[in-house]
Amino acid sequence: MTAPAAEPTVFERIAAREIPAQIVAETDRVIAFRDIAPQAPVHVVVTPKQGGYRDVVELASGDPALLAELVDVARGVADELAGGEFRLVFNTGAAAGQTVFHVHAHVLGGRLEEGSLAG
Ligand code: 5GP
């Protein structure tokens, strides 16, 4: 685990209910909410409630059980909102489109729009 960021990330602030979001699922350690700028009919961000891991590579080596829990929450969201079939996208690094450096998965369901992050 890396050192906690000086400032909480936007996703920690959503988990703390400091920033409003359309929350669709949560467990003790993971939260899922609709992306503010959806790029598919179903576009949900699934992320740990606490910061500390900047991307999926760090999470996989630092806490694989938490990564598995995140994927399980993603599956549940997709079952409920997207008929169980979905893309799971982890942008990893700024050059790959990552803008929030708090590990998160994008659950994308339905037809993707032209030029979307997973297209
Ligand atoms: P990234 O580009 O890092 O892979 O994904 C970050 C995602 O978080 C983007 O798709 C962006 O639209 C979403 N996002 C950023 N800020 C907020 C916010 O305040 N609320 C919600 N619901 N989504 C956000």
Side-chain angles (χ1 to χ4, degrees):
M1 187 186 269
T2 51
E7 295 290 325
T9 66
V10 62
F11 294 161
E12 286 173 276
R13 298 188 65 204
I14 287 172
R17 272 61 171 180
E18 291 171 12
I19 294 175
Q22 271 186 272
I23 295 165
V24 296
E26 72 182 307
T27 64
D28 285 350
R29 296 211 292 166
V30 174
I31 191 161
F33 50 87
R34 294 203 188 256
D35 197 289
I36 203 168
Q39 297 189 36
V42 175
H43 186 170
V44 171
V45 173
V46 186
T47 188
K49 290 181 174 176
Q50 292 202 323
Y53 298 104
R54 76 186 260 119
D55 60 38
V56 67
V57 175
E58 282 195 0
L59 181 61
S61 60
D63 192 342
L66 181 56
L67 175 58
E69 185 173 332
L70 191 153
V71 171
D72 195 52
V73 170
R75 178 198 53 76
V77 167
D79 281 350
E80 195 171 322
L81 300 178
E85 299 191 344
F86 61 108
R87 296 190 193 195
L88 193 61
V89 175
F90 291 89
N91 292 330
T92 305
Q98 187 174 5
T99 58
V100 178
F101 293 90
H102 172 155
V103 60
H104 56 280
H106 298 262
V107 175
L108 298 156
R111 191 177 171 78
L112 297 173
E113 296 183 11
E114 202 68 26
S116 77
L117 81 173

